[in-house]
Amino acid sequence: MLDSAAEAWLRTSARVGNPSSLHGSGRAARRIVEESRESIADDLGVRPSAVIFTAGGTEADNLAIKGLAWAAPQRPRILCSAIEHHAVLDPVVWLAEQGRPVDWIPVDAVGRVSVDDIRARLSDDVALCTVMWANNEVGTIQPIAEIAAACADAGVPFHTDAVQALGHVPVDAGMRGITSLALSGHKIGAPVGVGILVLDRDARVVPVLHGGGQERDVRSGTVDAASAAAMAVAVRHAVTEQQDHAERMTRLRDALAAGILERVPQAVLNGSPDAALPGHVHASFPGCEGDALLMLLDAAGVECSTGSACTSGVPEPSHVLLAMGVDPARARGSLRFSLGRTSTEDDVDRILEVLPPAVERASRAGSPSFRTVS
Ligand code: PLP
C-alpha cells in the first residue's frame, strides 16, 4: 500500500463514524466520503455523482454487468470479449446460464479485439457490451475510445474493466460512450477491499444489493469512509504519477523482455508489441510447466504468476492465451512478470540471472530441443 494511502486510512478510521448517521461523527464521515468522491471524480474526468464506492473491482464489475443486463430484459444479447478477467467473465457466463445469448468477441494473436467486428454486432437487441481496458495476463491494451464511440453511436451501454489500466495508461472515464467502468484499490496502492464503479448518470441498472439505498441505490451498504479516503489518495497518485511511472516501467519491461529472449532463445513473448501495459511481460517457455517454473523462481526469490494471479491454482490453460490462438501446451508453460512501483533494474537483472537455470530444470524430461544461454 502507498504510505500516503495508509496514513489517510488510519487518520480517517480513528476519527469518524458511520457516514449514514446524522450525529457529528457521522457527518464528519459523510464529509470525508463526499470530498473523496469529488477528488476521484476530478481525477477521472467525471461528475462526483458518477463515482460509486464498492468493495473492490470484482464487485464493481458485477454491479455493472448484472445491473445493466437486468435493466434491459427486452434487449437480451450481451457482447463480451473472450479475454476478460473472471470478475467479468463469470457474471456473463452466469447470465448466459440464465438464458441470455452472449457473443464472445474474439481477439487476434496479440489479444486485440476488432472494432469493426464489435460494430457489426451492435444492434438494438444488445443490453451491453463489455471489453476490458487492459488485460491482466498479457497486458494488451484495447482501443477503448473507438469501442466506446461505436457503442454510443448504436445506443448500446458499454462497460470497461479498467482495473489494470489506471496508473499505467491515461484513463479518461468520462469519454463519450463509457457507461460504466470498474477500478480496484489494491492495484493502485489503496487497501484491498475498496473499488470504484464509475456509472454514467443516465445509466439504468438494477441493483444487486438491496438495503439502505446508499450510492445512488446502486450499492446499498454503509460506505467505508476510511477506504474512500485512502482510495482518493491512491487515485490522485496514480493519475499524477502515471506518465513518469509508465516511462520507467517501459524501460524496465523492455530490458526484461529483451533479456528473456537473449537468455532463453526458445521463449516466446505474448501480447501486443505496440499496445501493451508498461511493466508487463508475459512469456511462454515451451517444454516447461508454468507452475513448476513458478515454484522454482519463487524459491529463488522471484515472484511471478501463471495466468491471472486471481486464478492461480486452476490447472486449465489460460482462457486468454487460448483465445489468442496459443496452443494449450504452450499456454500451460507461460508466466507473467509484473513490474511495479518498487521494481528496479536490479530486480530485472535478478530475474534474468535465475530464469535460465529454472527453465532448464522445469523443462520436461526428454524435451530434446530446449536450451538456455546463461
Ligand atoms: N479485473 C481485473 C482486470 C483484475 O486484474 C482484477 C484483479 O486482479 C479484478 C478485476 C478484481 O479486482 P478485485 O481484486 O479488487 O476484486
Side-chain angles (χ1 to χ4, degrees):
M1 208 194 310
L2 284 170
D3 287 349
S4 51
E7 279 158 24
W9 191 92
L10 273 174
R11 207 172 41 242
T12 310
S13 57
R15 230 176 57 205
V16 299
N18 177 342
S20 303
S21 299
L22 284 179
H23 50 56
S25 64
R27 291 198 306 277
R30 162 67 42 200
R31 229 177 354 260
I32 288 174
V33 169
E34 294 315 322
E35 282 166 12
S36 304
R37 196 190 308 283
E38 280 165 26
S39 165
I40 292 167
D42 211 31
D43 289 332
L44 298 178
V46 296
R47 290 165 202 262
S49 59
V51 174
I52 288 166
F53 289 107
T54 71
T58 302
E59 188 184 308
D61 281 325
N62 270 262
L63 296 183
I65 304 287
K66 292 174 184 164
L68 289 167
W70 288 339
Q74 75 289 1
R75 301 169 72 130
R77 276 171 64 219
I78 296 169
L79 309 187
C80 179
S81 93
I83 51 143
E84 294 295 306
H85 186 276
H86 282 280
V88 168
L89 204 62
D90 290 16
V92 172
V93 167
W94 182 79
L95 286 164
E97 287 163 4
Q98 317 292 308
R100 303 296 286 255
V102 175
D103 283 24
W104 295 105
I105 302 163
V107 294
D108 63 16
V110 299
R112 293 260 287 187
V113 297
S114 146
V115 181
D116 286 342
D117 177 24
I118 292 177
R119 202 174 282 115
R121 295 169 191 269
L122 292 167
S123 66
D124 58 10
D125 65 344
V126 176
L128 78 134
C129 171
T130 179
V131 179
M132 68 200 314
W133 200 301
N135 182 262
N136 50 301
E137 290 187 39
V138 294
T140 301
I141 298 166
Q142 301 296 341
I144 291 300
E146 289 154 83
I147 300 169
C151 287
D153 292 345
V156 170
F158 174 57
H159 174 70
T160 184
D161 175 334
V163 166
Q164 293 284 338
L166 188 67
H168 303 279
V169 294
V171 170
D172 173 9
M175 80 173 52
R176 176 174 172 265
I178 293 186
T179 308
S180 57
L181 176 147
L183 297 172
S184 167
H186 66 99
K187 297 294 176 190
I188 55 167
V192 174
V194 57
I196 289 174
L197 173 64
V198 176
L199 186 67
D200 185 79
R201 64 176 167 171
D202 296 327
R204 283 196 55 239
V205 294
V206 170
V208 175
L209 303 173
H210 296 88
Q214 291 91 342
E215 302 298 276
R216 283 169 55 192
D217 204 14
V218 172
R219 199 272 186 182
S220 277
T222 304
V223 177
D224 176 353
S227 292
M231 189 67 174
V233 170
V235 170
R236 174 63 47 89
H237 180 269
V239 170
T240 52
E241 299 294 314
Q242 184 271 319
Q243 204 177 338
D244 287 351
H245 175 75
E247 280 168 19
R248 205 170 75 77
M249 289 303 105
T250 301
R251 277 199 301 279
L252 292 181
R253 175 196 68 194
D254 291 349
L256 178 58
I260 289 175
L261 293 179
E262 192 187 310
R263 307 275 178 108
V264 187
Q266 288 88 340
V268 183
L269 297 177
N270 300 307
S272 169
D274 28 58
L277 282 176
H280 225 86
V281 176
H282 194 283
S284 300
F285 300 93
C288 287
E289 282 299 332
D291 285 344
L293 189 51
L294 180 145
M295 297 315 290
L296 287 163
L297 290 172
D298 190 42
V302 169
E303 293 185 354
C304 54
S305 62
T306 54
S308 155
C310 306
T311 51
S312 294
V314 179
E316 290 100 46
S318 143
H319 67 282
V320 175
L321 295 178
L322 296 183
M324 288 162 56
V326 174
D327 78 73
R330 191 184 116 194
R332 267 194 218 94
S334 302
L335 289 183
R336 180 190 74 175
F337 299 90
S338 311
L339 302 162
R341 230 169 0 96
T342 55
S343 304
T344 62
E345 280 161 15
D346 287 348
D347 294 329
V348 170
D349 292 345
R350 174 77 186 143
I351 299 171
L352 294 175
E353 185 190 325
V354 300
L355 184 64
V359 167
E360 204 79 65
R361 282 189 61 193
S363 58
R364 274 195 215 106
S367 170
S369 61
F370 213 84
R371 72 189 170 84
T372 62
V373 181
S374 34

